[in-house]
Amino acid sequence: MQTLQTVLDKIRPLDSEWRNITQKHLDQLTKPPGSLGRLEELAAWYVQVTGKFPPRPPKKAIFTFAADHGVVEEGVSAYPKAVTAQMVYNFLRGGAAINVLARHVGAEVRVVDIGVDHDFENLPGLLHHKVSRGTRNMARGPAMTEEEARRAVGVGCQLAEEAVREGVGLLATGDMGIGNTTASSAITATMTGKPVSEVTGRGTGIGDQILKHKQAVIEQAIRINRPDIKDPLDVLAKLGGLEIAGITGLILGAAAHRIPVVLDGFISTAAALIAMALKPETKNCLLAAHQSVEPGHRIALTALGLHPVLDLNMRLGEGTGAALGMGMVEAAIRILTEMATFEQAGVSGKEAK
Amino acid sequence: MQTLQTVLDKIRPLDSEWRNITQKHLDQLTKPPGSLGRLEELAAWYVQVTGKFPPRPPKKAIFTFAADHGVVEEGVSAYPKAVTAQMVYNFLRGGAAINVLARHVGAEVRVVDIGVDHDFENLPGLLHHKVSRGTRNMARGPAMTEEEARRAVGVGCQLAEEAVREGVGLLATGDMGIGNTTASSAITATMTGKPVSEVTGRGTGIGDQILKHKQAVIEQAIRINRPDIKDPLDVLAKLGGLEIAGITGLILGAAAHRIPVVLDGFISTAAALIAMALKPETKNCLLAAHQSVEPGHRIALTALGLHPVLDLNMRLGEGTGAALGMGMVEAAIRILTEMATFEQAGVSGKEAK
């Protein structure tokens, strides 16, 4: 396996020339220039990341990383920890929201056990990459060792690389892990410098009292662990989750191979904050699919400089927002490649006025 | 053909019980209650309009009504009038944006010549319902007679009825007509009472000088024609377009048969303002697909009490925004019908906290 540094070294700035080529073609299509708004931007973004024109509708894969969180023992979630493993079974049977939305947009869901506190045996369809049986309680000490965090990031990098080799042209991130909004809030507060109270929300639906407790737990975790903001892997290890580390790796691996990545919600942006701190150019490969209800998500997106495509009041995770975002990217690619030009269609252009 | 009054009489208030049944089912699915946000609302809306549970993924049809506008002779558009007919040919060959996006979401595009200033002969695939060869110049007198407006509304009603008979379960509106943002601004100003300057935008992309002229033309049209706001058909006839009247009819016909309608942008909301004024209960069957760039669109949506699903900075028309909105409605229906319940999946529910 290659080292993280090798992956980071491969991530380069993008060439704006691809964006210009795309916009020039878009302006020849039978529509007023710019009239497809965000779809035109998505088409230009896709071409710029991949550096290929014209693009083809890509094979699409959503990686849903599952892991457990030691901090759940502090009572920060509305659901019991067992739900993480139960939902993995649900994903594999195709009954979860991510399965439905992935089918809807024609994407494959790849479920990764990167740290669930459950033995799945050799469950077919599950990608077995367990680094440990969940993190330790970050309110009492580091969630992971740096070595565990590095291994989990490595899993994500490796999965991205394998996907590239199979010809996947569009990746999306997803997560399952009871307790992971707590970890994501801790990372987001640390990486953006915002107060914990501003980046912490109700997750799967906790009440006011538990919300206050959740914030206190996160503040304690940050106080005890003293994460070093200059060392993103230190922040990830001390406050993160194995699925968050896996997503960080997937993003970096994709960026190294110039594969566009559609980010899901709050958990994915926490992972992206770590990835971008490790290598700022990573940002160019990222698309924010949607604006989640979690208050920290907006703050993370602002820090990342990303503008979400959809705002559907969602807060489920799993990759559900990203799946819908993938559908939009595909629509944009099809606009670019399937529409007739003014010349082809014999349609008169704009009158000089 | 049935009279307009017969159609209006069939439009009834909806029963909220269907919404409750849907939400109850949504809350049993393997996700935190409400966590799919807008998708859950779309599912409940679809069931409430149709009055059938569980729904099936519907057959989808987008009606793109094409017509010309006499007011174009005032020099209000960035494109020559000939583009309306040229784009009809483009639609029929499958090269326009609406064709691409309809294919993307699995919907059929039905192109209707309701008033194009061109002889299409017996062009296959085109629905021939020409009421006249375009409207007259509304800056000099009424755009249509009331009889022409009624006939165009009747075409829309009839097409909705035929679609229902074929088993179409989700309709969308679309338009093509050089000059039709001018007509839509005139209708929106009249029906909402807002100043012309607030509801008039750049359409396909006119500059500042033409925009001022366009506003002056609209003000003149309203002043000369003295539309009677208490008589929506009078407003439609004097300031409207044949495609706008067709969309009004499609909406009314769909509402009479409890078929949900996804509205495209500004032209479609102008038509919806007329439909809702004729029968307020029509509103319940309508979904606003997206927020267009046209400033009058936001004002019309507010007047209609509709909240758009998407905001993609689009301003193309044809039904392009509605096509993407249809994809979201289908995603919502599939969530409702394809997800496993907590019981089926053996997933633990929320802990009482």
Side-chain angles (χ1 to χ4, degrees):
Chain A
M1 213 181 73
Q2 56 192 340
T3 64
L4 180 55
Q5 194 55 50
T6 323
V7 175
L8 296 180
D9 288 345
K10 281 193 199 154
I11 303 171
R12 320 289 306 180
L14 301 181
D15 184 348
S16 65
E17 190 51 25
W18 293 108
R19 192 170 278 271
N20 301 339
I21 289 170
T22 309
Q23 197 57 56
K24 204 175 154 188
H25 183 73
L26 284 166
D27 290 347
Q28 293 170 355
L29 302 177
T30 45
K31 58 171 187 53
S35 60
L36 282 174
R38 200 68 201 270
L39 287 189
E40 300 194 22
E41 289 171 32
L42 294 184
W45 166 76
Y46 187 84
V47 171
Q48 193 181 15
V49 175
T50 56
K52 282 178 203 138
F53 182 90
R56 279 181 303 182
K59 186 171 163 183
K60 306 185 285 297
I62 302 162
F63 281 88
T64 302
F65 291 89
D68 274 306
H69 292 259
V71 73
V72 166
E73 70 190 33
E74 301 290 334
V76 289
S77 177
Y79 287 82
K81 186 177 165 184
V83 166
T84 305
Q86 291 164 353
M87 283 301 294
V88 167
Y89 285 105
N90 196 18
F91 295 149
L92 296 173
R93 280 190 300 255
I98 185 57
N99 303 105
V100 176
L101 296 180
R103 283 195 294 269
H104 178 65
V105 300
E108 191 193 335
V109 182
R110 301 187 179 180
V111 187
V112 189
D113 171 16
I114 195 163
V116 183
D117 188 10
H118 179 83
D119 288 319
F120 289 107
E121 315 278 326
N122 269 325
L123 206 56
L126 182 63
L127 299 172
H128 295 271
H129 293 282
K130 204 191 284 288
V131 170
S132 77
R133 292 181 69 115
T135 52
R136 283 169 287 278
N137 183 351
M138 68 175 183
R140 313 278 159 185
M144 294 176 265
T145 63
E146 187 170 316
E147 200 268 332
E148 284 168 334
R150 275 186 188 274
R151 272 173 58 208
V153 170
V155 167
C157 288
Q158 184 195 327
L159 290 170
E161 190 144 327
E162 285 170 16
V164 173
R165 245 181 279 133
E166 289 170 45
V168 171
L170 185 60
L171 285 168
T173 61
D175 68 281
M176 180 69 227
I178 296 301
N180 67 11
T181 59
T182 301
S184 299
S185 293
I187 289 174
T188 303
T190 304
M191 298 304 288
T192 65
K194 293 280 177 187
V196 168
S197 58
E198 282 184 31
V199 299
T200 308
R202 297 176 188 277
T204 49
I206 54 176
D208 289 347
Q209 209 181 330
I210 310 283
L211 177 58
K212 278 201 172 160
H213 174 61
K214 180 178 173 180
Q215 290 168 351
V217 166
I218 294 168
E219 274 160 0
Q220 181 179 320
I222 295 173
R223 199 169 55 241
I224 284 180
N225 286 297
R226 302 167 160 270
D228 177 4
I229 190 183
K230 298 232 176 72
D231 180 358
L233 279 181
D234 185 63
V235 177
L236 178 64
K238 286 172 172 166
L239 307 175
L242 290 154
E243 79 282 48
I244 298 173
I247 294 170
T248 301
L250 190 84
I251 290 169
L252 293 171
H257 291 279
R258 302 187 63 166
I259 301 298
V261 179
V262 182
L263 290 179
D264 196 38
F266 186 44
I267 315 305
S268 293
T269 49
L273 286 171
I274 301 293
M276 215 176 85
L278 286 167
K279 187 84 176 189
E281 290 81 358
T282 305
K283 182 206 148 181
N284 304 321
C285 300
L286 301 178
L287 180 77
H290 77 125
Q291 175 66 64
S292 132
V293 174
E294 275 289 311
H297 190 227
R298 194 178 296 273
I299 288 166
L301 287 173
T302 303
L304 289 162
L306 297 175
H307 306 282
V309 179
L310 304 168
D311 188 356
L312 299 171
N313 226 15
M314 286 165 61
R315 54 179 170 84
L316 177 54
E318 299 179 3
T320 48
L324 294 174
M326 276 181 145
M328 292 295 162
V329 175
E330 190 167 19
I333 293 171
R334 294 184 70 169
I335 283 292
L336 184 63
T337 55
E338 296 181 21
M339 270 185 77
T341 62
F342 280 100
E343 199 182 329
Q344 285 166 345
V347 174
S348 310
K350 203 166 164 176
E351 290 176 329
K353 265 177 191 174
Chain B
M1 212 181 75
Q2 57 192 339
T3 65
L4 180 56
Q5 194 55 51
T6 323
V7 175
L8 296 180
D9 289 344
K10 281 192 197 155
I11 302 171
R12 319 290 306 181
L14 301 181
D15 185 348
S16 65
E17 190 52 24
W18 292 108
R19 194 171 275 271
N20 301 340
I21 289 169
T22 309
Q23 197 56 57
K24 204 175 153 188
H25 184 73
L26 285 166
D27 289 347
Q28 291 169 358
L29 302 176
T30 45
K31 58 171 187 55
S35 61
L36 282 174
R38 200 69 201 269
L39 287 188
E40 300 193 22
E41 288 171 32
L42 295 185
W45 166 75
Y46 187 84
V47 171
Q48 194 181 15
V49 175
T50 57
K52 283 179 202 139
F53 182 92
R56 278 181 305 181
K59 187 173 163 183
K60 306 185 285 295
I62 302 162
F63 281 88
T64 303
F65 292 88
D68 274 307
H69 293 261
V71 73
V72 165
E73 70 190 33
E74 301 291 334
V76 289
S77 177
Y79 287 83
K81 187 177 166 186
V83 166
T84 305
Q86 291 165 351
M87 283 301 293
V88 167
Y89 285 105
N90 197 18
F91 296 149
L92 296 173
R93 280 190 299 257
I98 185 57
N99 303 106
V100 176
L101 296 180
R103 285 196 293 270
H104 178 64
V105 301
E108 193 193 333
V109 181
R110 300 187 179 181
V111 187
V112 189
D113 171 16
I114 196 163
V116 183
D117 188 10
H118 179 84
D119 287 318
F120 290 106
E121 314 280 325
N122 269 325
L123 206 57
L126 182 63
L127 299 173
H128 295 271
H129 293 282
K130 205 191 283 290
V131 170
S132 78
R133 292 180 71 115
T135 52
R136 282 169 287 279
N137 183 351
M138 68 175 183
R140 314 278 159 185
M144 295 176 265
T145 64
E146 186 168 318
E147 201 266 331
E148 285 168 334
R150 276 186 187 273
R151 272 173 57 207
V153 170
V155 167
C157 288
Q158 183 195 329
L159 290 170
E161 190 144 327
E162 286 170 15
V164 172
R165 246 182 278 133
E166 289 170 45
V168 171
L170 184 61
L171 284 169
T173 62
D175 67 282
M176 180 69 226
I178 297 300
N180 67 10
T181 59
T182 302
S184 298
S185 293
I187 290 175
T188 303
T190 305
M191 298 303 289
T192 65
K194 293 280 177 185
V196 168
S197 58
E198 283 183 31
V199 299
T200 308
R202 296 176 189 278
T204 49
I206 54 175
D208 289 347
Q209 210 182 327
I210 309 283
L211 177 59
K212 277 201 172 160
H213 174 62
K214 180 177 173 180
Q215 290 167 352
V217 167
I218 294 167
E219 274 161 2
Q220 181 179 320
I222 295 173
R223 198 170 55 241
I224 284 181
N225 286 297
R226 302 168 161 269
D228 177 4
I229 190 182
K230 298 232 173 74
D231 180 359
L233 279 181
D234 185 64
V235 178
L236 178 65
K238 287 173 172 166
L239 306 174
L242 290 154
E243 80 282 50
I244 299 173
I247 293 170
T248 302
L250 190 83
I251 291 169
L252 294 171
H257 290 281
R258 302 187 64 166
I259 301 296
V261 179
V262 182
L263 290 179
D264 197 38
F266 186 44
I267 314 306
S268 293
T269 50
L273 286 171
I274 302 292
M276 216 176 83
L278 287 165
K279 187 85 176 189
E281 290 81 0
T282 305
K283 182 207 149 180
N284 305 322
C285 300
L286 300 178
L287 180 77
H290 77 125
Q291 175 66 63
S292 131
V293 174
E294 275 290 311
H297 190 227
R298 194 178 297 274
I299 288 166
L301 287 173
T302 303
L304 290 162
L306 297 175
H307 306 283
V309 178
L310 303 169
D311 187 356
L312 299 171
N313 227 16
M314 285 164 63
R315 54 178 170 84
L316 178 54
E318 299 179 4
T320 48
L324 294 175
M326 278 182 145
M328 292 295 161
V329 175
E330 189 167 20
I333 293 170
R334 294 184 69 169
I335 283 291
L336 185 63
T337 54
E338 296 181 21
M339 269 185 77
T341 62
F342 280 100
E343 199 182 330
Q344 286 166 342
V347 174
S348 311
K350 203 166 165 178
E351 290 175 330
K353 264 179 190 173

